[in-house]
Amino acid sequence: MGIATIRELQVLLRGHGVTTAYVKKLATKQDNDKNQIYLGAGLDSVTNLFPATISVRAPSESTAKPGSRAGQPKMEAALRFAWLDPGGNRHVAPGARIIDYFQYPEIRFSGFLKGCEGAPDALRRRLQAGFGQRWLVMGNAPDGTVLGVVLTERDDPLASNFPELPALAGSGVLLVLTVDEEAGREPRDLVNEEIGRIVAGGWHSSVIMKATGIVPFRGAQGAGYTLEALLGVTANAEKAPDRHGFEIKSYSGSRISLMTPTPDRGYQGERTFREFMERFGQPAVNGDGSRRFVGLFRAGGHNEKHGLSMRVAGYDQVADRFSGHAGEIAVELFDPVTGDIAAGWSLERLANSWNRKHASALYIRAEKNPAPAGDGQDEYRYLTPWLVGEGTDVWRLLRAIAAGYVFYDPADTIYADGRSKVRSQWRVNSSTLKSTMDRLYARVSETGG
C-alpha cells in the first residue's frame, strides 16, 4: 500500500527536511509528460517558490491560442529536481524545469520524466488513465533539491480523501501544505502567530542558531540572526525560506537592502571592477585616499554627481508592456549626453537575483539596545506593525524599479591600500515600505498595528 494519510505524507517530506509543500490536484486528461503540468497563469508565486537557474528563451511567434501574444519573451527555470518514492528514495530528474509561456500566459512544469529512473508512471500520458485521481506535491529540501511526490487513487488511499488546504496567494491552482504543523492551517496565520509571540516577548539577547545550537552573537547582523533563532531557523545562505514558506526580514534603518546583483552589461559588466572605478569612481570626500562609486540612482532620475541617469530599457511604462526581445529588457545606468552605458543588468541577471527572494516575505522593524562597552550582548526587540507580502516575480520587480520604488544605492570602493569592495545594492525606503510592497507582491497585509 502507498501513502494512506496526510500524516504519512508529512513524515515522508519531513524526513528530507521539507517544511512547506505545494500541492496541485492534477487534471484528469491533462498534466502529463506530453502537455506538461499547468502551474498557473503567471510567474507570481511559482518560479520564486523553488531554487532555480533562470534563462530567457527566444520570443514566441504564435498567436493561435486564445489570449496569446506573439513576441513576448519566454523564461525557463531549471530545477535540481528528484522524485520521492514511498520508501523515501530519491530519483533524480535532470531535465526538470519550469517554463513561463508569457505569450499565453501560462506556467508549466516540464521535463520531469526525461532521464529519470524511477519516475512516476502516473505522469505518462499513455498510462495515466489507470491511476485515477492524481495529486502532485513539491517542496524544497535544505540542500536545494526540489522534491516531488505523486499520489494516485490506485496506489495511495490519501488521494481519495485529501484534506482541504489553503490556496497559495497569486497562484490560482496551487495549495499549501505545512509539513511541521497541522495540515490545513494557513501559513500566513502560522507565521503571524509566531512573530506575535516574539514581539510580545520584548527584548531578546543577540544570538545565532547554528547546526550545533543557539549561541551568543556579536555583530551588525544581530537583529536578523536573533529573529531567525527565535523562530527555530538555522542561519544559512540556502534558498529555503525561513518559516512556513516565508522569508523573514528585519530592518532598522531608513533603507532596506533587497538584493546585490553585480552588473553584467555596460562598462562595469564588460570590464574589470578596477577599470570601472578608474572611469566612474571618484575620490572620497573625506580624503582618505580611497576611490568610491556611491549615490542614489532612480529610474527616470539623474545623478548630478556622476552625470548618470537610470532607465528600464525595453519597457513602456505608459502602456505597461515589455519588449518581445529579452535582450532589450535591462536596467541601465547611462550617460544622457554620450549614450554610454556605465552599468547594466540584463533580464536574466535580475530574474536570477530576485528568484533568490522567496515568493512570500515578512518585514518587521527591529530596535537595538546596545550592550555596555566591552560587556554583555546587544538586545533586540521587534515592533508592530509588520508587513507580509505574497506572490512576486521579476516583472513586478522591474515595474517597481521603473516607478522609482526600488532604487540603486551602490557602495563600491577601492581603498588606499588597493583593497576593493564591490557593493551593488538595490534598496527601498523603509518609510514607503507598504506602497513598495504593494508593487512587488500580489497580496500585502499588515498585522499588529
Side-chain angles (χ1 to χ4, degrees):
M1 179 181 289
I3 297 175
T5 67
I6 194 67
R7 185 174 297 277
E8 288 181 16
L9 175 61
Q10 289 173 310
V11 169
L12 174 64
L13 295 171
R14 192 182 302 123
H16 289 264
V18 177
T19 60
T20 304
Y22 306 97
V23 180
K24 188 198 175 186
K25 184 178 184 179
L26 299 180
T28 304
K29 297 183 179 180
Q30 301 294 320
D31 290 333
N32 51 50
D33 60 327
K34 179 67 174 178
N35 55 35
Q36 308 167 339
I37 295 177
Y38 175 75
L39 294 181
L43 276 177
D44 286 358
S45 301
V46 177
T47 304
N48 283 58
L49 290 176
F50 308 111
T53 300
I54 296 175
S55 59
V56 179
R57 301 175 62 180
S60 171
E61 300 301 326
S62 172
T63 57
K65 187 166 182 174
S68 67
R69 294 172 290 173
Q72 294 288 359
K74 291 184 289 186
M75 300 183 69
E76 182 175 300
L79 306 176
R80 190 165 78 184
F81 186 88
W83 292 108
L84 281 182
D85 63 29
N89 302 302
R90 294 189 184 190
H91 304 274
V92 176
R97 61 198 187 278
I98 293 173
I99 302 175
D100 170 21
Y101 292 100
F102 194 57
Q103 78 277 16
Y104 292 152
E106 286 183 358
I107 304 299
R108 289 188 175 270
F109 183 36
S110 179
F112 43 79
L113 300 185
K114 185 177 180 180
C116 178
E117 296 184 8
D121 286 337
L123 297 182
R124 302 184 191 279
R125 186 176 187 180
R126 60 186 176 83
L127 299 175
Q128 72 179 62
F131 288 89
Q133 179 60 61
R134 302 165 301 145
W135 296 80
L136 171 67
V137 183
M138 299 170 69
N140 300 328
D143 64 359
T145 303
V146 182
L147 300 176
V149 177
V150 173
L151 306 173
T152 73
E153 189 177 1
R154 190 194 75 176
D155 298 330
D156 304 284
L158 175 60
S160 301
N161 190 32
F162 209 88
E164 185 174 341
L165 298 177
L168 177 67
S171 166
V173 300
L174 295 181
L175 308 174
V176 186
L177 171 64
T178 53
V179 175
D180 53 359
E181 297 284 348
E182 180 184 352
R185 291 294 307 275
E186 173 67 60
R188 183 177 63 255
D189 293 341
L190 291 170
V191 75
N192 279 333
E193 288 174 8
E194 294 184 9
I195 292 293
R197 287 194 290 269
I198 292 171
V199 170
W203 292 100
H204 305 273
S205 294
S206 180
V207 294
I208 184 172
M209 185 170 183
K210 298 184 176 181
T212 54
I214 296 177
V215 297
F217 178 82
R218 293 175 177 84
Q221 297 174 291
Y225 284 141
T226 300
L227 183 58
E228 287 182 350
L230 293 169
L231 290 167
V233 177
T234 302
N236 59 65
E238 294 289 340
K239 157 70 176 176
D242 295 330
R243 194 69 174 140
H244 303 305
F246 285 81
E247 178 183 9
I248 310 296
K249 191 173 184 68
S250 65
Y251 64 94
S252 57
S254 61
R255 296 177 183 177
I256 306 169
S257 294
L258 291 185
M259 57 181 186
T260 57
T262 55
D264 61 340
R265 289 189 177 184
Y267 200 92
Q268 187 173 1
E270 297 167 0
R271 291 170 174 79
T272 67
F273 178 66
R274 291 184 182 275
E275 287 176 317
F276 168 76
M277 291 297 288
E278 282 298 318
R279 177 169 175 181
F280 293 98
Q282 297 179 352
V285 295
N286 63 5
D288 64 1
S290 66
R291 194 168 184 84
R292 301 174 184 268
F293 184 74
V294 298
L296 193 149
F297 301 86
R298 291 184 191 271
H302 184 71
N303 184 297
E304 295 290 346
K305 179 179 177 181
H306 293 284
L308 298 173
S309 299
M310 176 175 279
R311 65 190 172 203
V312 179
Y315 174 56
D316 183 336
Q317 192 171 0
V318 175
D320 189 23
R321 184 174 179 84
F322 290 95
S323 168
H325 298 279
E328 297 177 354
I329 302 174
V331 177
E332 298 172 341
L333 280 182
F334 68 100
D335 186 326
V337 176
T338 65
D340 292 341
I341 299 174
W345 294 260
S346 67
L347 176 61
E348 271 192 10
R349 176 60 61 95
L350 291 171
N352 277 293
S353 183
W354 190 240
N355 189 56
R356 296 189 186 100
K357 314 299 291 183
H358 205 66
S360 299
L362 184 149
Y363 288 77
I364 186 167
R365 182 179 291 278
E367 190 174 73
K368 180 179 178 179
N369 180 26
D375 181 37
Q377 295 169 250
D378 295 334
E379 292 181 325
Y380 297 95
R381 66 177 178 181
Y382 304 90
L383 309 177
T384 59
W386 61 88
L387 294 169
V388 171
E390 298 171 276
T392 190
D393 60 30
V394 70
W395 308 110
R396 289 182 180 273
L397 172 65
L398 287 168
R399 290 183 176 101
I401 293 174
Y405 285 89
V406 177
F407 51 86
Y408 189 50
D409 185 20
D412 295 330
T413 308
I414 293 183
Y415 296 98
D417 62 5
R419 292 179 298 115
S420 62
K421 179 183 74 173
V422 182
R423 188 69 62 83
S424 303
Q425 301 174 130
W426 289 90
R427 290 177 154 182
V428 301
N429 283 326
S430 59
S431 61
T432 57
L433 181 58
K434 174 61 166 62
S435 55
T436 300
M437 290 182 66
D438 285 336
R439 298 271 180 155
L440 288 173
Y441 295 92
R443 182 168 72 180
V444 178
S445 58
E446 185 175 86
T447 303

